[in-house]
Amino acid sequence: MHELGIVFHIIESVEEVATQNNIHRVSGVTLQLGEVSGILHDYLSDCWRWACDKNDLMRGAELTIEEIPAITYCEACGRQYPTVEHGRTCPNCGSGDTYLIQGDEIMIKEIAVPDEDECAKIS
């Protein structure tokens, strides 16, 4: 279950941002997950709740997951297509000369702080 390791990494990143910005409590984190990242949302959410309950900064913080669709680019015809639906073979020209251009990433989009309207954003 690599989801727990990912959660620990996210929490460490949030702790760094919190320290840099004098934040003492986090109410939520928005995470962008690629459609083919290999991360299981349910496991990630379970690990999130477990790990946050053990961390004063993160206790009770909500996790919001936004899925980034997987898109593949075809070198042969120069077109893009949905990866999950068509795999590695281009549905437009039949070429296998393709590569993933998005959909396997894991990024923290926002860190929400209680009683504040603003979110710290990591780019």
Side-chain angles (χ1 to χ4, degrees), residues 64-100:
T64 302
I65 298 172
E66 295 179 353
E67 188 170 83
I68 298 170
I71 304 293
T72 296
Y73 177 79
C74 178
E75 293 268 10
C77 70
R79 297 174 75 184
Q80 298 177 10
Y81 64 89
T83 306
V84 173
E85 185 178 341
H86 300 286
R88 296 198 65 182
T89 303
C90 178
N92 302 299
C93 71
S95 173
D97 190 13
T98 61
Y99 62 89
L100 188 69

Side-chain angles (χ1 to χ4, degrees), residues 19-109:
T19 299
Q20 293 168 359
N21 292 281
N22 199 29
I23 295 170
H24 304 289
R25 193 99 166 98
V26 170
S27 60
V29 172
T30 301
L31 189 66
Q32 293 180 317
L33 282 182
E35 186 177 22
V36 294
S37 65
I39 308 299
L40 301 174
H41 293 209
D42 289 343
Y43 287 162
L44 187 71
S45 295
D46 289 345
C47 292
W48 177 263
R49 284 189 294 277
W50 179 84
C52 286
D53 283 348
K54 296 173 180 356
N55 183 301
D56 289 336
L57 174 71
M58 304 296 295
R59 190 166 289 117
E62 294 291 322
L63 177 64
T64 302
I65 298 172
E66 295 179 353
E67 188 170 83
I68 298 170
I71 304 293
T72 296
Y73 177 79
C74 178
E75 293 268 10
C77 70
R79 297 174 75 184
Q80 298 177 10
Y81 64 89
T83 306
V84 173
E85 185 178 341
H86 300 286
R88 296 198 65 182
T89 303
C90 178
N92 302 299
C93 71
S95 173
D97 190 13
T98 61
Y99 62 89
L100 188 69
I101 58 173
Q102 79 173 35
D104 63 348
E105 54 272 88
I106 303 168
M107 297 181 297
I108 297 172
K109 178 182 178 184

